[in-house]
Amino acid sequence: MSVIADAAAASATPSLLVEHRPWWRSRVTLTAAIVGVMLVCYFALKAEYPWPASLTWNSLPTYLNDFQTWLVDQRNAESPSFVIRAFNGFAEFLDSLVEWFTSFLGWMTWVGVSVAGVLVSLRFGGVRASIWALAAFVMFAASGLWAESMQTLALMLAAVGLSLLVGIPLGVYAGLSTRFERAVTPVLDAMQIIPAFAYLMPVVILFSVGPGAAVITTMIYAIPPAIRITALGIRGVPANTVEAALAMGSTPAQTLAKVRLPLARRMLLLSVNQTILFALSMVVIAGLIGGKGLGDVVTSGLNSYPALALLAGLVIVVMAMALDRVTESVAERTNPARRHLTDERRRRLRLASVATGIAVIAVVAVSRLLGVGADYSRTTARDWLLARIQSVLDYVQNPDTALFRVTSWIGDHIVQYGLVPFRNFLVETPWPVTLLGITLISLAVSGRRSAITTFVMLAVIGVIGEWASAMDTASQVLVATVLTVVIGLGLGVWAAESRTFSRILRPINDVLQTLPQLVYLIPLIYLMPVSVVPGVIAGVLYAFPVVARLVENGVRNVEANTVEAAESFGATRSQVLRKVKVPLAQDAIMLGVNQGIIMVLAVVVIGGLVGSPGLGYEVAQGLARSDFGLGVLASVAILALGIALDRVTRGARRAQLEEGP
């Protein structure tokens, strides 16, 4: 995820051509004026104009439930239609693929898998990568969750393999064709804007519950980074190199195979890296719909055995960090721009690869001859780890401790001064005022197209009968976003001004972005006992690292000559920061707000699993009660709300392009 954030920040580097407007026409002033008018209407007319029943499609849930019944009947029919057979066949193929990977890892034995992982990491990633791989396998064994870890790894192999099989060719095509890139970008935006929680219900209906549905859910989330980063790598190949190859008589296909792809190798491997991380972040969510392994341990233990759920979450984090470090090291070590191989060096590396393969085969063969089992079943530290985790949970939920008093005070103030006022404002303001006001804010901030899209999305939410729930969810998202932006902006500016703090902040950001979304909620349920607060705080923790990265890159990438000119006129460091760097980094800051609000939404709706009200709770209830109508309508509302919030915060650059000079 950090690679995407850095790439986005690079594309958002401010230019010196900053749009100058009178203060009374600035986006901040216009937005404040619109909000002011909405507040006047709220205090004058609140609770008098909810979304009218005459504009609601009340029979839609019944139609959806009827469709669910029909679909289940068709799936179980003796002679299902071609479409149903196709869905069933694809689901069975995915189930079989995951089962095959699981069986293969078991066939290798736990010793063979461990040695293979460490040796392959050592050969292609170096010593540090092999140490990370070894640490991951030790964690799998010590936690007593070896079998579940292998099931998760098998699910990852299937999901990541298929995601790359789809994503890399499409990314190559997008890198070669600007027209195709423009066509596919809205689809990729939608896939990344939609919280994973929103498409669980449709996936379950189409593919039933099981590993296949988990793979599909993971692929939807993991394919976009594969396409985007691959396209970025293909476009990043120097034009003069391509022209030289074409001038020497190479065909476009030869140029692609022998010039573009080799020079884009590092970005291709980084696309693998990011696809793995995005897929791992979905492992826990996939556990809700039949994905076995660590995700299932987390979701099933969320309310019944939180210590075990946290332990499984820690194992996922170690797995994610190990895979991240290994793939990143492989990308760096094989970068042709930094590494020029002689024939002798190339021959030695090939011999090393052969030796690695022979060693792995030998270890697996010996392990099987000695009867080594598929799963590690010897002495583990599971009981000790669970006891330590439970003692921490007992401490943080003890009302007599200072920590509990601090966290409960924070939670109470977030509810009293943030969530309640925002919810009342959005829910009780007359719906025409809210609809028009948010649309006008989108117009002021992001232009006409975004305003039209925002209006349509909000109207859809009202028509399907989810207005009040969506506004409740929006209030949680806005409170979390305010906290995210305040923290991310402060830390990002500090990191941009201090290399030392930037180095300190980076590993913290890496860990927070590696944690699966649902894992944040487990300790927060104890720290913040009010049901709605854990989802909000989890959203802040998940989103502020991206905001901080984007702000840091934006502020740091301000043109040096502009800063020098300001300093030559006697501006202090503080004045340069406030009046030069931050204004010129407004594109990166707006991009940070945009990315932050989308990431916050993705986590806030998951709070429905622990009782947070709003759309996420309705999706959770739909899954629990198999109520297709309720779950799908809430999912559609989450999708519409995500698109609306995305368009409102698209930022000044796109608005300027749409409105013209």
Side-chain angles (χ1 to χ4, degrees):
M1 294 185 188
S2 61
V3 174
I4 291 181
D6 294 343
S11 67
T13 302
S15 64
L16 298 180
L17 299 176
V18 180
E19 180 184 5
H20 296 284
R21 292 184 174 189
W23 68 268
W24 51 271
R25 286 188 57 210
S26 70
R27 292 178 174 84
V28 174
T29 303
L30 291 175
T31 300
I34 295 168
V35 173
V37 173
M38 293 174 67
L39 284 171
V40 171
C41 294
Y42 162 68
F43 287 111
L45 304 169
K46 63 179 180 179
E48 294 186 12
Y49 298 101
W51 188 274
S54 59
L55 296 179
T56 303
W57 192 354
N58 294 311
S59 59
L60 184 56
T62 303
Y63 292 145
L64 291 173
N65 286 324
D66 291 343
F67 173 73
Q68 178 193 20
T69 302
W70 175 84
L71 197 60
V72 171
D73 292 340
Q74 290 295 313
R75 180 179 289 120
N76 297 327
E78 293 183 2
S79 300
S81 66
F82 173 78
V83 175
I84 299 299
R85 288 201 306 272
F87 279 113
N88 289 344
F90 190 51
E92 291 173 1
F93 163 73
L94 295 177
D95 289 342
S96 300
L97 184 62
V98 175
E99 183 62 31
W100 185 87
F101 276 119
T102 305
S103 300
F104 178 71
L105 293 174
W107 177 85
M108 290 181 66
T109 74
W110 68 268
V111 173
V113 170
S114 302
V115 172
V118 172
L119 290 183
V120 171
S121 300
L122 177 64
R123 162 61 186 89
F124 295 101
V127 176
R128 289 186 180 180
S130 65
I131 293 174
W132 272 103
L134 178 62
F137 288 113
V138 169
M139 185 64 182
F140 300 161
S143 65
L145 295 171
W146 183 276
E148 292 81 359
S149 299
M150 292 302 102
Q151 290 172 344
T152 296
L153 193 58
L155 179 65
M156 285 289 301
L157 290 172
V160 172
L162 292 174
S163 297
L164 295 174
L165 188 64
V166 174
I168 289 182
L170 291 178
V172 171
Y173 191 29
L176 297 175
S177 171
T178 303
R179 180 178 298 178
F180 178 75
E181 181 194 10
R182 291 175 179 172
V184 79
T185 294
V187 178
L188 301 180
D189 288 344
M191 292 170 70
Q192 292 191 296
I193 290 169
I194 304 171
F197 219 49
Y199 47 77
L200 290 183
M201 203 73 183
V203 168
V204 168
I205 294 301
L206 293 174
F207 297 98
S208 188
V209 173
V215 170
I216 291 293
T217 304
T218 305
M219 287 178 62
I220 294 173
Y221 196 61
I223 285 176
I227 296 176
R228 291 186 189 276
I229 299 176
T230 300
L232 186 64
I234 295 297
R235 289 196 304 271
V237 175
N240 55 358
T241 305
V242 176
E243 292 171 358
L246 293 173
M248 295 179 67
S250 296
T251 64
Q254 291 173 327
T255 304
L256 174 64
K258 297 183 178 181
V259 178
R260 291 184 186 269
L261 289 177
L263 291 180
R265 182 186 302 167
R266 178 178 179 274
M267 294 302 292
L268 293 177
L269 289 171
L270 286 178
S271 73
V272 175
N273 170 277
Q274 294 299 293
T275 302
I276 289 173
L277 292 183
F278 272 67
L280 263 176
S281 70
M282 287 298 302
V283 163
V284 178
I285 302 298
L288 293 169
I289 56 174
K292 298 178 181 180
L294 297 170
D296 185 50
V297 176
V298 173
T299 54
S300 61
L302 186 61
N303 296 312
S304 61
Y305 200 167
L308 181 59
L310 258 180
L311 179 59
L314 292 175
V315 175
I316 294 174
V317 171
V318 173
M319 180 186 293
M321 294 182 69
L323 290 172
D324 176 43
R325 297 305 189 272
V326 169
T327 53
E328 187 175 9
S329 296
V330 173
E332 291 296 333
R333 284 169 62 90
T334 59
N335 184 6
R338 295 186 178 182
R339 190 182 192 189
H340 301 283
L341 299 178
T342 62
D343 291 339
E344 177 63 21
R345 177 63 175 166
R346 195 174 285 108
R347 186 180 66 83
R348 290 181 180 179
L349 291 176
R350 288 172 181 168
L351 290 176
S353 299
V354 172
T356 300
I358 293 174
V360 169
I361 293 172
V363 170
V364 171
V366 172
S367 298
R368 290 189 60 79
L369 288 174
L370 295 177
V372 176
D375 303 323
Y376 179 85
S377 57
R378 301 192 178 192
T379 304
T380 71
R382 176 170 177 160
D383 294 338
W384 184 85
L385 290 170
L386 289 175
R388 302 287 79 73
I389 294 173
Q390 188 60 53
S391 65
V392 173
L393 293 177
D394 292 339
Y395 174 80
V396 299
Q397 68 176 340
N398 185 350
D400 296 329
T401 62
L403 177 63
F404 186 88
R405 288 193 293 271
V406 171
T407 56
S408 61
W409 181 88
I410 293 173
D412 291 341
H413 279 69
I414 289 175
V415 172
Q416 183 177 356
Y417 299 107
L419 292 171
V420 171
F422 269 97
R423 182 192 180 282
N424 292 341
F425 172 60
L426 290 175
V427 173
E428 298 181 4
T429 299
W431 71 268
V433 176
T434 303
L435 179 62
L436 182 61
I438 297 177
T439 301
L440 290 176
I441 291 174
S442 182
L443 176 65
V445 174
S446 301
R448 286 189 296 265
R449 292 183 182 178
S450 295
I452 293 171
T453 303
T454 301
F455 179 86
V456 172
M457 292 298 104
L458 294 177
V460 167
I461 291 173
V463 169
I464 65 177
E466 295 289 346
W467 183 263
S469 296
M471 293 302 104
D472 193 347
T473 298
S475 68
Q476 300 171 41
V477 171
L478 291 177
V479 170
T481 301
V482 170
L483 296 174
T484 297
V485 171
V486 170
I487 296 172
L489 183 61
L491 294 180
V493 170
W494 188 3
E497 293 293 291
S498 170
R499 295 282 183 180
T500 300
F501 182 71
S502 178
R503 287 193 292 268
I504 295 172
L505 185 62
R506 181 177 179 183
I508 298 174
N509 287 345
D510 289 343
V511 172
L512 290 175
Q513 288 187 276
T514 302
L515 280 169
Q517 299 164 355
L518 190 57
V519 174
Y520 287 96
L521 290 175
I522 301 171
L524 291 173
I525 296 171
Y526 289 83
L527 285 169
M528 307 286 184
V530 182
S531 61
V532 70
V533 176
V536 172
I537 300 300
V540 174
L541 293 175
Y542 186 66
F544 89 78
V546 169
V547 178
R549 287 183 191 275
L550 290 168
V551 172
E552 178 185 354
N553 280 288
V555 172
R556 182 172 290 161
N557 290 334
V558 171
E559 296 287 346
N561 55 1
T562 306
V563 176
E564 293 170 359
E567 292 173 343
S568 67
F569 280 99
T572 64
R573 183 176 181 180
S574 175
Q575 290 173 327
V576 170
L577 179 63
R578 289 183 292 106
K579 297 184 178 182
V580 178
K581 290 185 176 181
V582 171
L584 288 177
Q586 62 178 334
D587 282 354
I589 294 172
M590 282 301 300
L591 183 60
V593 174
N594 174 266
Q595 294 297 298
I597 202 169
I598 296 304
M599 297 182 73
V600 162
L601 175 62
V603 177
V604 163
V605 293
I606 297 176
L609 291 172
V610 294
S612 295
L615 298 172
Y617 181 77
E618 293 185 5
V619 174
Q621 289 300 301
L623 286 169
R625 303 195 313 234
S626 297
D627 189 339
F628 183 63
L630 176 65
V632 168
L633 288 182
S635 298
V636 171
I638 292 173
L639 166 61
L641 183 62
I643 294 175
L645 292 173
D646 175 65
R647 292 305 183 265
V648 169
T649 55
R650 275 291 179 172
R653 172 169 291 186
R654 178 163 294 187
Q656 185 174 355
L657 293 174
E658 291 179 357
E659 302 293 346

